Amino acid sequence: MRGGRVAAEDDDRLREADVLVEGGVIRRTGPGIPLEDGVEEIDCSGKILLPGLFDLHVHLREPGREDKETIRTGSEAAINGGITGIVAMPNTSPAIDSGGMVQAILDIAFREARIPVLTSGCITRGRAGQELAGIGGMVEKGAIMITDDGDPVENPQTLRRAMEYARGFGIPVACHCETKALSGDGAMNEGRVSYGLGVPGMPACSEEICMERDIRIAQMTGAHAHIQHVSSAAGMEIVRRFKEEGVRVTCEVTPHHLLFCDEDLGDYDTHYKMNPPLRSREDCARLLEGLREGCFDVIATDHAPHTDFEKSLDLASAPFGITGLETALVSLYHYFIRTNAFGWGLLVKRYSAEPRRLVGRAPAEIAEGRPCELVVFDPAAETAFTREFMRSKSSNTPFLDRTLSGRVEMVVVGDAVLLDRREERP
């Protein structure tokens, strides 16, 4: 790959370098690598070469709701967005709550996916919040974390036992933080906008109270708590405080909680309905500050596909969630990197390297001797998020039929070119 600029974590300077890949391994990097006989030369002038991204929070819907997504279509959507590894959530039907279910998911992924698809397992059987799932059996078969994502574990004693088991197995407990008695039947953030629209709201303290409880239990047990999709500035500060106290806690922020706020639901658009909900414009700004300051360990999409029919329902009835795998990189570039809100080094660290480290995987790097796992990104091109562009079965995204700056041009894993748009014209 000739003439590209290489992005690396913690370094917003882009290093101009050629990259020679042979046999799926990066053999040489640096300027002016001579072209050898039989080696294809790819012109990357003006392009960014970055390590493949890794998404820690993805809903693939298989088994049970293959009309929304499958392991194959979800992994292809990831490739379309420059993501070369994903972690599936266990809220399927049936739920991924046993070693047998973990094995079944990984078997499907081995057959159907062209990138690594890892899976989490449930904390409780059937995600019912009562009896612990078979944590040991799931870890033995390959589950890399446990979570009842989509719901909190309401019984704190059950969560305590789960964290004690998880500590022994060396895996994180990923926490969806919500106090159901407070969030109730809410459909959006509780506040001025919800009052004006006449829509039941979900107060931020519903998330924050549960967050404090879950981290306190992790503090008591010595477990690793990973707080999912933090949506409020106050919640972010709770995590920051416990980190300063030495508690083993990590957290994630989604692109949509950085980009959108409750005002975007002003016309009752269900493409902005998610759980936790979009908070205030001030929360958005504070979350972005927290990402730049290092309070957030990872960026994750919480990719949540739904059918067009489901999202066409009224705001109160439509399901929570939006897709994100195909839009994340381009939207983060368009709104933040392009405008100098943050740089490529932060994106690579928080959306490629740290998510892998969190689940015990080595980061992808564009360095000599490392397996090739890279993305070619064209900042001068554009991406039109039409239905025809999407590889996901679902298109419930606020970006549908919008055009943003930047384009994922190539995705290469090992010796396989998984995506190549060089011949496409905007």
Side-chain angles (χ1 to χ4, degrees), residues 147-223:
T147 179
D148 273 3
D149 180 47
D151 289 295
V153 178
E154 295 198 18
N155 186 325
Q157 182 73 337
T158 302
L159 182 60
R160 172 188 177 177
R161 298 305 181 206
M163 286 191 172
E164 289 170 341
Y165 274 109
R167 180 196 62 205
F169 289 114
I171 60 169
V173 179
C175 302
H176 171 109
C177 294
E178 179 182 358
T179 307
K180 291 283 193 176
L182 285 170
S183 57
D185 295 325
M188 63 179 296
N189 180 50
E190 182 177 301
R192 176 183 57 82
V193 178
S194 68
Y195 298 147
L197 295 175
V199 175
M202 305 166 70
C205 69
S206 165
E207 180 182 358
E208 294 151 7
I209 290 170
C210 186
M211 189 182 298
E212 179 118 16
R213 183 204 71 163
D214 289 5
I215 302 174
R216 286 292 300 275
I217 295 173
Q219 183 179 38
M220 178 182 69
T221 60

Side-chain angles (χ1 to χ4, degrees), residues 94 143 248 262 270 304 310-311 392 418:
R248 194 179 180 200
D262 53 4
T270 62
E310 289 171 313
K311 278 295 191 177
S392 171
L418 304 185

